[in-house]
Amino acid sequence: MTSPASGIPPPLNGRSFAVLRELMVERQIVARGVHDPRVLAAMRKVPREAFLPEPMRDLAYEDAPVPIAGEQTMSQPYIVALMMEALLLQGGDNVLEIGTGSGYAAAVLGEIAGHVATVERIATLADTAAAKLAELGYVDVHVHQGDGTRGWPPDAPYDAIVVAAGGPQVPDSLKAQLKIGGRLVMPVGADQHAQQLVRLTRLGEADFKRDHLGDVRFVPLLGAEGWQRVEPADKTARDNG
Ligand code: SAH
């Protein structure tokens, strides 16, 4: 691999990654309006490059999603920050993530929350992410392999749920696993490859407030309460996550 598309020279050692990480936070995240100090501190700390295979590490701090195994992606840094801020975490929260992927966003959650359960449908991704999170010392982040559209009942109810893949609607199982007052952030759209980022706040047993946070493009949420099969994407459009 040669230099990344931004023109920033490939990093030579850990210190260079630290510089790129700081630039990522300032130019991609703060500059676009994310200000939650917990989110910014977490993103200044988590070594994003560690969640990529060695040959891909020079792309870790690009302003774009990065391909990982199984035709999946590690989400664009800004989108991770936007979703984390929208969860309104207080510190010490009980959080569920659907779509572990590389494990990067789970590590960011792990910096803020008290307990994180994260579910990934592709076993090889779940295994790789679990090993990396353990190696980096994220003992409060628990990776499970399975269909996350059903949530993760053993650790419910959750203060916050984040879904890192786009579905046709918010799965009922996830709504049921949210505390009263809890927040759920998920890309939702009738088109498998274009979504609106939606936040649901559970106000009561069957009462949810819905906020729309903008247009996004995520890989499809595949499962019992998601899409049944993948449809070909329009390759001219650009993904966020
Ligand atoms: N948060 C990840 C990005 C995830 S990309 C990161 O930081 O790297 C979305 C992931 O959702 C993919 O890995 C995909 O396999 C997974 N996924 C799709 N449908 C799922 C389902 N029903 N349950 C769990 N994971 C699912």
Side-chain angles (χ1 to χ4, degrees):
M1 185 159 307
T2 57
S3 64
S6 68
I8 298 169
L12 300 170
N13 54 42
R15 186 154 171 270
S16 299
F17 280 126
V19 170
L20 292 178
R21 191 175 313 127
E22 186 56 37
L23 290 172
M24 168 191 86
V25 171
E26 291 305 322
R27 294 179 182 173
Q28 301 177 31
I29 297 171
V30 175
R32 291 188 180 120
V34 174
H35 296 303
D36 183 329
R38 289 187 183 85
V39 172
L40 298 180
M43 295 196 66
R44 285 196 167 100
K45 190 161 170 202
V46 178
R48 190 169 154 91
E49 71 280 3
F51 293 88
L52 289 171
E54 198 74 52
M56 304 294 288
R57 288 189 177 174
D58 288 349
L59 300 176
Y61 295 97
E62 291 291 291
D63 190 11
V66 187
I68 53 173
E71 296 191 357
Q72 304 304 318
T73 60
M74 179 163 90
S75 304
Q76 180 184 4
Y78 167 64
I79 294 293
V80 175
L82 183 70
M83 293 175 90
M84 300 290 149
E85 181 171 68
L87 292 174
L88 302 173
L89 300 174
Q90 307 297 304
D93 328 63
N94 185 33
V95 179
L96 173 65
E97 180 194 36
I98 307 306
T100 315
S102 67
Y104 170 70
V108 175
L109 287 169
E111 291 287 344
I112 303 170
H115 179 275
V116 180
T118 177
V119 184
E120 170 56 54
R121 62 178 279 274
I122 300 177
T124 53
L125 290 180
D127 291 347
T128 305
K132 183 53 67 178
L133 288 159
E135 180 193 321
L136 294 174
Y138 288 101
V139 294
D140 297 321
V141 180
H142 303 271
V143 182
H144 307 285
Q145 193 272 320
D147 176 7
T149 66
R150 300 293 204 198
W152 186 254
D155 295 339
Y158 298 99
D159 297 296
I161 300 178
V162 59
V163 184
Q169 69 274 313
V170 178
D172 285 338
S173 295
L174 298 185
K175 290 163 78 172
Q177 289 171 35
L178 204 55
K179 283 183 193 172
I180 307 290
R183 290 82 51 203
L184 178 152
V185 173
M186 170 176 168
V188 178
D191 175 343
Q192 207 177 75
H193 301 280
Q195 306 93 16
Q196 273 269 317
L197 194 59
V198 166
R199 174 174 59 201
L200 293 188
T201 306
R202 190 172 195 179
L203 302 177
E205 198 51 44
D207 186 11
F208 292 85
K209 175 162 108 74
R210 198 179 178 99
D211 297 307
H212 291 265
L213 309 175
D215 294 332
V216 288
R217 296 181 62 85
F218 273 78
V219 298
L221 180 72
L222 289 170
E225 296 180 49
W227 297 104
Q228 305 309 304
R229 73 184 81 78
V230 183
E231 284 150 20
D234 169 8
K235 280 295 173 196
T236 58
R238 192 182 149 190
D239 290 353
N240 306 119

